[in-house]
Amino acid sequence: MAALVVLGFLLRTTNAADVFVGGAVVYPGNDPYYQAHRVFQALGSYPWVPLVDPLLDHPYGAAPIWPPVFPWLLATLAWALGLDTTRAVETLLAVSTPLVGASICIPVYGLARRILDAPWAWLAAALSVSIPAHLWYSRLGFVDHHAAVTLVQVSMFLGGLRAMREGRAGLLVASTAVGMLLWNGFILFVGLLDGWLLAVFALGGTATRRRVGEVVAWSHGAAALALVPLALATARATGAPWGTFAVSYLHVVALAAVAVVGVAIARRPEKGWIWIVAAVAVGIVAGIASGGLTELGTWVFGRDAFMSSIQEVVPIFLRSDGTLDLGAANIWLTRFWLVVPLLLVSSARRSFAAGRADSRWLLLTIWGTGLFVLALRQRRFAESFAPALAVLAAFGVRGIYVWVRTWLAWGLTPSTSSAGAALVAALALVLGIGPYYGPIVRDPSGLLAIAHASVPAPEPRLPPETHTNLLRLRDLAPTRRGEGVLNLWPLGHRVLYLTHLPVLASPFGSHLGGTSFDEASALFLEEDEASVVRRMTERRLRWVVVDADLGTIGASLRARGASTRDYYAITRLPTGEQRIEHRPALLRTLYGRLAVLAGAGAEGAAEPLRHFRLVVDAQRDHTGGHPRVFERVEGARLRLRGRPGTTYELEYRFVSSAGRERRYAVAVRTDPGGGAEVVLPYSSDRPDLGHDSRWRVTGPGAAPVASLRIPEAAVLRGEVLDADLG
């Protein structure tokens, strides 16, 4: 078992060179940054974790929808180890996830051993650390609750078998309570457990039914009691005692109600159906009345604008644009997913093979079916399904082995037929997991990436631009305390963690409550700069962080009922590359004017922005992961005196932080009296930003007229300056 854990850890750390980069710890994805932020919050107020985060939904603050227990556990570990530097804590967080992920083989073996013979249980354990979907969510640096939740989920189902068949309920009671504390969505897995217990109840005798009641009472009662302190604290902090997403009284009451039904069944098992039907009816009515069932359905089926924009929510066999993509499923879930329906049917048949219900195979059937359906609907549940898939795949390979050995036994010796069957079973395994592990087989040195990452490189790599550009914003921001960031929601957690600035939108999206998600979407799609400036001023937002994430802005458009084809078109070329066409409707929005035009405008499509200046530039255009940062400024108000009815162009050239030559130009026409006024967003006094140029004024025929120096104070405060052009 130790060897499997080590192998699982090495498989999950092949990305070490991308995590430990240039003296920094770079977490993959978005959510790990917020979990890391919560860990440092917990360390700063240990042993408490703030339930309202002032850096969310600026300027109001908000309660994260995730329970605080997962970051609290990591903070406790860091505290116990005496880690006192940011780098040490960040490294611990990065390493903890693959350790937890690799440990999945332990409960998988325990569960599989109660269903299959020892060799096949070991195979299931080996597959559990190898399935890419689980591996991806538990890779080095992916600091999130997914791997821990799945570990506890499998332990809960193992505990269910132990409780029903061996009379030992401790593991079930502990894992149900811990799971609910780790993630409020764990109630989905508890629901699957209840489905299995209901089936066992329906097919069992009086003694079995009484045992089901006792198991339900203990497991759900313990979970309800464990949630009480958290629900009370959350209700006091948020003023939302009956919320659906964050832990609330609703979760406590639901679990406690099921526990009461369990007690009633244990006392009077012959009346169990009456209690069950009554509880289901009350639950449905309460769910409809509270809106909880509607919100649950919206979350599971990804029907709101926020959920529909997340790649994780797309069905496992589709791309985000709705086209078929079996390749991703073959990799994430291995090719075994194609035969899962057959394996589930076979498992269901074995549930009744002996003429009576077998709770072991019944568990595998219900557990596997429920999570397989969820994985088909949302690819993120592929990680939750991976352990069940490992057991099903081991069961399937066992079937191949037995069938081939039986067939070969007609003409070969037992040892030869067994060897031949083992060879065929091994071939089935290679065909099943081959798409992912080809590169590792060709170059096994990748398994030692974690060791290589600890050796200083002769020429250290730089962190990715997402990381470095946000650190540049952090260095700029101390002069503007209390002012937040308008950002595309996928960037919210990174911005918050790396800059320590409050953000408007975050990957919590519309689930956070309030107006943050809708307001951010509306601002980025706004075409009137004056309206944007007014609303950003009201919410004390000074900075804007954008990148070329058309998927996110497309979701905002769809939420408005607009067609993305009116705003942009993406064409897949035969080479596999994409060609992007930004249409005028997109270029008129704040998003288009910043992310595509860098604030400079485009003739016939959009005017240059007068109150936003580029302070951190990106190396690449039209590619995600290369954010730009803009600062909202009042802009110097320049009053010109020149020849009446003459058009002048004011041009500003500078070299940006990315070393790119940038040009900003605005045209203004004098009135019959020779006067004109224009707002200029760039000064001549910020060499640290590359803004140290003078404004060049030209007249008709591009004839030079003047060269103007614009003070920084005038740009920041909106001061009025005068210029006589003669």
Side-chain angles (χ1 to χ4, degrees):
M1 188 62 70
L4 278 182
V5 173
V6 170
L7 174 63
F9 179 78
L10 294 177
L11 288 173
R12 286 160 174 76
T13 56
T14 56
N15 63 328
D18 296 322
V19 175
F20 301 117
V21 187
V25 178
V26 180
Y27 298 124
N30 300 315
D31 291 347
Y33 284 94
Y34 193 75
Q35 295 285 16
H37 165 68
R38 293 286 276 167
V39 169
F40 282 102
Q41 278 189 320
L43 288 171
S45 56
Y46 195 81
W48 311 109
V49 184
L51 294 178
V52 174
D53 192 340
L55 299 187
L56 294 173
D57 193 14
H58 185 68
Y60 309 116
I65 62 174
W66 298 329
V69 175
F70 177 73
W72 181 85
L73 290 172
L74 291 173
T76 299
L77 180 59
W79 174 80
L81 293 174
L83 304 182
D84 56 1
T85 67
T86 299
R87 175 63 190 267
V89 175
E90 288 181 335
T91 301
L92 171 68
L93 301 184
V95 173
S96 65
T97 304
L99 282 173
V100 172
S103 301
I104 192 66
C105 59
I106 299 172
V108 166
Y109 175 80
L111 192 151
R113 185 64 185 89
R114 285 164 171 78
I115 301 174
L116 303 170
D117 295 334
W120 309 109
W122 281 111
L123 176 59
L127 287 172
S128 70
V129 301
S130 308
I131 293 177
H134 185 269
L135 193 150
W136 191 88
Y137 276 99
S138 57
R139 67 196 189 278
L140 183 70
F142 201 83
V143 190
D144 209 348
H145 55 248
H146 294 282
V149 166
T150 298
L151 182 69
V152 175
Q153 173 228 140
V154 180
S155 299
M156 180 184 70
F157 285 107
L158 169 59
L161 277 179
R162 291 177 55 172
M164 287 302 303
R165 298 180 65 87
E166 303 165 23
R168 296 184 293 169
L171 179 60
L172 173 64
V173 170
S175 55
T176 306
V178 171
M180 288 301 305
L181 288 169
L182 285 176
W183 183 47
N184 32 326
F186 195 84
I187 202 163
L188 284 174
F189 307 131
V190 175
L192 283 177
L193 176 75
D194 290 343
W196 170 64
L197 290 171
L198 179 61
V200 173
F201 175 89
L203 298 170
T206 300
T208 299
R209 292 183 174 187
R210 178 175 285 110
R211 186 61 185 157
V212 167
E214 293 169 351
V215 167
V216 168
W218 278 106
S219 60
H220 291 64
L225 288 174
L227 287 183
V228 167
L230 180 57
L232 289 172
T234 303
R236 284 196 302 268
T238 64
W242 297 97
T244 303
F245 287 103
V247 170
S248 69
Y249 298 160
L250 182 64
H251 298 82
V252 175
V253 170
L255 289 166
V258 177
V260 169
V261 172
V263 171
I265 292 174
R267 291 171 61 89
R268 300 288 297 275
E270 71 277 5
K271 295 184 179 295
W273 280 116
I274 297 175
W275 285 100
I276 292 171
V277 172
V280 171
V282 170
I284 292 174
V285 171
I288 294 174
S290 66
L293 283 179
T294 300
E295 290 192 43
L296 179 63
T298 299
W299 179 72
V300 170
F301 293 103
R303 288 174 176 163
D304 66 7
F306 165 60
M307 295 294 287
S308 65
S309 65
I310 303 176
Q311 182 66 27
E312 290 179 298
V313 177
V314 175
I316 190 73
F317 50 83
L318 295 179
R319 298 186 182 91
S320 56
D321 60 4
T323 56
L324 188 66
D325 181 20
L326 295 180
N330 290 340
I331 292 175
W332 270 56
L333 287 177
T334 72
R335 291 192 178 105
F336 287 116
W337 82 278
L338 296 168
V339 295
V340 163
L342 295 176
L343 296 173
L344 289 172
V345 170
S346 182
S347 175
R349 292 181 59 188
R350 282 178 171 264
S351 300
F352 304 96
R356 59 184 179 84
D358 187 325
S359 60
R360 302 170 305 163
W361 290 98
L362 202 57
L363 172 67
L364 181 59
T365 303
I366 293 174
W367 177 42
T369 300
L371 291 181
F372 182 56
V373 171
L374 284 173
L376 290 179
R377 185 59 191 85
Q378 293 189 25
R379 71 175 59 197
R380 61 176 166 179
F381 283 112
E383 184 268 341
S384 305
F385 173 58
L389 175 62
V391 180
L392 287 167
F395 169 50
V397 173
R398 174 194 175 278
I400 293 173
Y401 173 83
V402 170
W403 184 85
V404 173
R405 187 184 63 180
T406 302
W407 183 75
L408 292 177
W410 286 95
L412 299 174
T413 64
S415 60
T416 305
S417 59
S418 296
L423 183 62
V424 174
L427 179 61
L429 280 173
V430 171
L431 291 175
I433 66 176
Y436 183 82
Y437 286 99
I440 294 178
V441 171
R442 289 191 293 271
D443 183 15
S445 63
L447 292 174
L448 301 178
I450 187 70
H452 297 157
S454 62
V455 179
E459 297 182 6
R461 295 171 56 207
L462 292 176
E465 198 167 39
T466 304
H467 198 89
T468 56
N469 281 6
L470 294 180
L471 291 180
R472 288 193 179 103
L473 172 57
R474 180 198 64 186
D475 295 338
L476 291 173
T479 59
R480 302 293 171 199
R481 293 290 184 188
E483 294 177 307
V485 180
L486 167 62
N487 57 283
L488 297 174
W489 70 258
L491 296 170
H493 289 167
R494 287 177 183 263
V495 173
L496 182 152
Y497 181 78
L498 292 173
T499 69
H500 311 299
L501 291 172
V503 297
L504 177 57
S506 75
F508 290 129
S510 55
H511 297 159
L512 193 64
T515 61
S516 61
F517 179 73
D518 292 336
E519 179 72 356
S521 296
L523 284 170
F524 278 117
L525 293 177
E526 179 61 65
E527 297 182 7
D528 180 15
E529 184 182 6
S531 176
V532 171
V533 170
R534 175 180 56 78
R535 289 153 68 182
M536 287 185 65
T537 302
E538 291 171 353
R539 295 196 72 135
R540 290 191 289 144
L541 300 169
R542 185 171 197 90
W543 313 95
V544 185
V545 178
V546 294
D547 70 0
D549 187 355
L550 285 175
T552 298
I553 211 67
S556 299
L557 290 168
R558 288 190 292 272
R560 285 188 166 192
S563 171
T564 58
R565 291 190 297 272
D566 296 332
Y567 289 78
Y568 61 85
I570 300 177
T571 305
R572 295 183 183 276
L573 301 177
T575 59
E577 298 177 332
Q578 292 182 341
R579 182 174 60 206
I580 300 173
E581 177 189 357
H582 300 106
R583 292 176 173 163
L586 181 71
L587 299 180
R588 289 193 296 268
T589 67
L590 178 69
Y591 170 82
R593 296 166 82 176
L594 293 176
V596 181
L597 303 177
E603 186 175 355
E607 290 289 324
L609 290 167
R610 310 297 176 89
H611 297 279
F612 295 89
R613 63 179 180 182
L614 178 64
V615 294
V616 180
D617 200 5
Q619 295 280 357
R620 300 177 62 182
D621 298 324
H622 317 319
T623 304
H626 299 273
R628 294 192 181 101
V629 180
F630 295 83
E631 182 181 12
R632 175 180 59 81
V633 294
E634 294 295 326
R637 306 182 68 84
L638 184 65
R639 293 189 304 202
L640 300 174
R641 298 294 300 176
R643 288 180 293 174
T646 301
T647 298
Y648 294 94
E649 183 183 73
L650 289 85
E651 180 189 62
Y652 186 88
R653 292 181 179 270
F654 66 100
V655 178
S656 71
S657 62
R660 303 177 63 176
E661 293 186 359
R662 291 291 187 181
R663 177 181 182 270
Y664 177 97
V666 58
V668 60
R669 185 176 179 84
T670 56
D671 59 27
E677 185 172 308
V678 63
V679 177
L680 304 178
Y682 290 92
S683 80
S684 305
D685 296 341
R686 289 297 300 271
D688 57 316
L689 301 177
H691 302 169
D692 55 1
S693 303
R694 298 175 70 89
W695 285 81
R696 180 172 177 265
V697 185
T698 57
V705 175
S707 176
L708 305 177
R709 176 186 171 276
I710 303 298
E712 174 74 359
V715 170
L716 294 178
R717 300 171 189 165
E719 295 176 355
V720 177
L721 304 174
D722 293 300
D724 190 347
L725 303 182

